Amino acid sequence: MSEATRSGGCQCGAVRFRIRGELGRPSICHCRMCQKQFGNFFSALVTAPEDGVEWTRGEPTYFQSSVNIDRGFCKNCGTPLTYRHPGGLEIAIGAFDERDDLAPQIQVNHAYRLPWVETIFEKPVYQDPDFYSRQEQIISFQHPDHDTDVWPAEGLKI
Ligand SMILES: [Zn+2]
Ligand SMILES: [Zn+2]
């Protein structure tokens, strides 16, 4: 993993982070709590270095999901952001501005996976050829994949 500074945040931009130091092993977890936190088939997380995480705008809100574990999210837009357990802090891979080098290296709680999860990428692919040109025409309220001095941008209501 790179030792360069990494940044990221939630969809609305109310919570932004910066991480200094080496990231740990990226993983996915199939447990039911991770499914619920992410509203998805599994979680995708990478371990953050001890004391390397700085919240540069806002902070997550935490739900304590069990005695020793809490899970952070943006209370404004709902983006899952953290999973904190006695062994450390993990950050949601999808929240990073740069994610291409964060391929999961291990599956956790594999026995609890959804019975069809291994087949999802065998399904037919539909790609709207005009998707990105139409995206440019809509007014997006999503925070961009880089730090911003002011957000929401002037005149943008979120
Ligand atoms: Zn947010
Ligand atoms: Zn889990």
Side-chain angles (χ1 to χ4, degrees):
M1 289 295 118
S2 163
E3 289 197 34
T5 299
R6 320 270 310 216
S7 60
C10 66
Q11 185 170 26
C12 80
V15 181
R16 295 281 302 166
F17 61 79
R18 187 174 302 141
I19 300 176
R20 289 189 174 79
E22 202 169 332
L23 297 175
R25 183 173 55 182
S27 66
I28 63 172
C29 179
H30 295 280
C31 85
R32 184 67 184 128
M33 284 205 183
C34 282
Q35 290 175 3
K36 289 292 256 185
Q37 180 189 5
F38 283 74
N40 215 318
F41 313 144
F42 45 76
S43 64
L45 295 154
V46 62
T47 310
E50 286 290 329
D51 305 322
V53 179
E54 177 190 357
W55 298 102
T56 55
R57 185 187 295 145
E59 280 198 27
T61 298
Y62 295 97
F63 171 65
Q64 185 175 359
S65 59
S66 59
V67 173
N68 292 319
I69 292 173
D70 63 39
R71 295 164 184 271
F73 59 96
C74 172
K75 69 172 191 272
N76 210 44
C77 70
T79 301
L81 292 167
T82 67
Y83 164 60
R84 188 162 52 194
H85 52 95
L89 176 66
E90 304 195 31
I91 308 287
I93 291 172
F96 281 78
D97 292 336
E98 305 272 344
R99 308 158 302 285
D100 285 359
D101 61 337
L102 298 178
Q105 303 298 311
I106 190 167
Q107 301 184 65
V108 181
N109 291 314
H110 189 250
Y112 300 102
R113 70 195 181 283
L114 286 166
W116 40 259
V117 76
E118 275 133 0
T119 69
I120 56 178
F121 297 111
E122 298 166 6
K123 305 304 176 197
V125 172
Y126 173 73
Q127 174 63 56
D128 177 353
D130 298 323
F131 178 77
Y132 279 106
S133 62
R134 276 195 287 102
Q135 286 286 300
E136 288 167 10
Q137 291 163 22
I138 66 168
I139 299 170
S140 170
F141 303 126
Q142 177 166 292
H143 189 277
D145 277 337
H146 56 77
D147 285 325
T148 50
D149 292 333
V150 179
W151 189 264
E154 195 73 32
L156 193 63
K157 290 192 174 68
I158 61 170

